[in-house]
Amino acid sequence: MKQIRWGFIGCGEVAERKSGPAFNNINGSSVVAVMSRTAERAASYAERHGIKKWYTDAQRLVDDPDVNAIYIATPPSSHATFAIMAMRAGKPVYVEKPLASNYEDCVRVNRVSEETGVPCFVAYYRRSLPYFKRVKKIIDDGEIGRVAYVQVRFTTPPRDVDTLKGDALPWRLNPTIAGGGYFYDLAAHHLDLLQDFFGIIVRAHGYCTNRAGIYEAEDTVSASFCFENGLVGSGSWCFVGHKSAQEDRIEVVGDSGKVSFSVFNYAPIHLITNNRDVLIEEPNPEYVQEPLIRNVVENLQGFGVCQCTSVSATPVNWLMDRILGKF
């Protein structure tokens, strides 16, 4: 069995809780090096997770002969640079979502992947979780009939850290680094799931605004969109709403019923048909990225196919840029 020896570029919160430990849980996969711009952080992560090598320079990690695959867990503005660096070195990439902070950088990544023949995978891990696979099966099995429309509703109150200023402001609220505000970070999951379920969205219109004035990025977004098969949908995202309006729901309505589900809190799936009204529990693994990482590893080992590639991820960036009026 081919051994996939990972080098991490970035070792922050995502690598700590959602993904990092999963790489060592998979047969033929191990983490051999980690990199952070801060030596203290890199050394601490390596020590706590039993990783032998750590770096403060990404190129040195990429050039390490013991590393043959790269995981990129940095903010989106650096994703394209590091992904291209790795692919030019002949090393496959697994990059956090969104693929980049703008659509143009996604195109650059795809071009280099095609030129080099080196694959780039993207961490839209919800596609692989049992919870969302159950939703997809309900839809694909026709339990709600022919789908008529889909709607996304997401509202959450602002966080205490959202009022911080300067360098203390979360990077997710800096459009130069993140691509937008919380919309670019969170709505990416909504929009990727919908395109996994129903195909590519080919038309979209959006309106974004800043209602609370807490930070400079957009805090409220509304959009309408149309899939390539003619299905229409809409979405609303508010990151400064009152706690009484807090909601995390996607609703899919068909001509024989509807199914609704959450994206972030994994509330029970609610299925209503002519003769059923049920709540369905579907637990997820401890490390939520593990099913997708296993799929990536098996692809690199030559006995599996992972569909979460830079090509499949690019329409999400196109759509978010379109909704935010970037072009």
Side-chain angles (χ1 to χ4, degrees):
M1 176 186 291
K2 179 180 180 182
Q3 299 297 304
I4 310 302
R5 302 183 302 275
W6 293 94
F8 286 6
I9 299 178
C11 52
E13 180 184 0
V14 170
E16 192 73 57
R17 298 191 304 111
K18 294 183 177 181
S19 62
F23 286 86
N24 288 322
N25 284 353
I26 298 163
N27 289 336
S29 172
S30 60
V31 183
V32 299
V34 63
M35 171 267 168
S36 174
R37 291 178 300 173
T38 306
E40 182 180 1
R41 174 177 287 182
S44 173
Y45 188 94
E47 181 180 1
R48 285 182 289 106
H49 294 279
I51 300 169
K52 294 182 179 179
K53 300 181 185 180
W54 60 268
Y55 297 95
T56 57
D57 180 84
Q59 189 67 63
R60 289 188 63 200
L61 177 134
V62 169
D63 291 340
D64 187 327
D66 289 335
V67 172
N68 62 9
I70 305 295
Y71 170 46
I72 300 171
T74 59
S77 60
S78 60
H79 285 182
T81 297
F82 291 138
I84 289 171
M85 180 189 298
M87 290 187 291
R88 293 286 189 203
K91 299 187 178 182
V93 178
Y94 177 66
V95 60
E96 276 301 323
K97 64 85 213 159
L99 173 56
S101 59
N102 58 74
Y103 170 70
E104 288 78 10
D105 276 354
C106 295
V107 174
R108 288 174 55 222
V109 170
N110 288 331
R111 184 180 301 118
V112 173
S113 180
E114 183 176 6
E115 289 173 356
T116 60
V118 178
C120 177
F121 306 98
V122 183
Y124 281 115
Y125 60 88
R126 281 175 167 79
R127 291 189 185 192
S128 299
L129 287 176
Y131 181 94
F132 300 104
K133 292 178 78 171
R134 181 65 177 273
V135 173
K136 191 174 191 301
K137 188 174 189 306
I138 288 170
I139 295 168
D140 290 347
D141 287 351
E143 292 194 51
I144 62 170
R146 187 182 187 208
V147 177
Y149 77 90
V150 298
Q151 185 179 63
V152 180
R153 300 189 300 271
F154 186 85
T155 301
T156 188
R159 304 186 303 165
D160 291 341
V161 295
D162 295 350
T163 62
L164 299 177
K165 304 300 180 183
D167 293 340
L169 186 71
W171 64 259
R172 289 175 174 82
L173 294 176
N174 184 338
T176 302
I177 297 174
Y182 285 127
F183 173 80
Y184 221 83
D185 183 49
L186 299 179
H189 279 300
H190 295 114
L191 300 172
D192 178 73
L193 277 171
L194 291 181
Q195 294 190 98
D196 181 47
F197 291 170
F198 304 114
I200 300 300
I201 292 172
V202 294
R203 297 198 304 275
H205 301 279
Y207 300 91
C208 59
T209 185
N210 185 304
R211 300 298 296 167
I214 300 172
Y215 42 78
E216 293 185 8
E218 77 289 336
D219 61 24
T220 305
V221 178
S222 291
S224 58
F225 39 83
C226 181
F227 296 83
E228 58 187 342
N229 63 4
L231 177 67
V232 296
S234 64
S236 61
W237 296 263
C238 179
F239 305 98
V240 292
H242 187 262
K243 61 183 180 181
S244 64
Q246 193 160 356
E247 188 173 19
D248 169 19
R249 214 66 178 161
I250 293 180
E251 190 171 88
V252 182
V253 176
D255 57 12
S256 299
K258 73 173 183 178
V259 61
S260 58
F261 57 98
S262 70
V263 172
F264 298 101
N265 62 31
Y266 308 117
I269 300 162
H270 192 185
L271 173 63
I272 301 175
T273 65
N274 291 329
N275 51 19
R276 297 177 70 196
D277 187 340
V278 295
L279 294 175
I280 303 169
E281 301 273 1
E282 194 68 63
N284 289 318
E286 179 181 4
Y287 302 115
V288 290
Q289 291 204 28
E290 186 167 338
L292 179 56
I293 293 169
R294 179 177 291 104
N295 192 203
V296 170
V297 169
E298 290 175 352
N299 187 302
L300 296 178
Q301 291 173 331
F303 58 86
V305 176
C306 180
Q307 301 291 346
C308 280
T309 66
S310 58
V311 173
S312 74
T314 295
V316 178
N317 281 79
W318 177 89
L319 180 55
M320 292 192 297
D321 284 2
R322 180 77 175 176
I323 290 171
L324 293 181
K326 289 187 179 183
F327 58 82

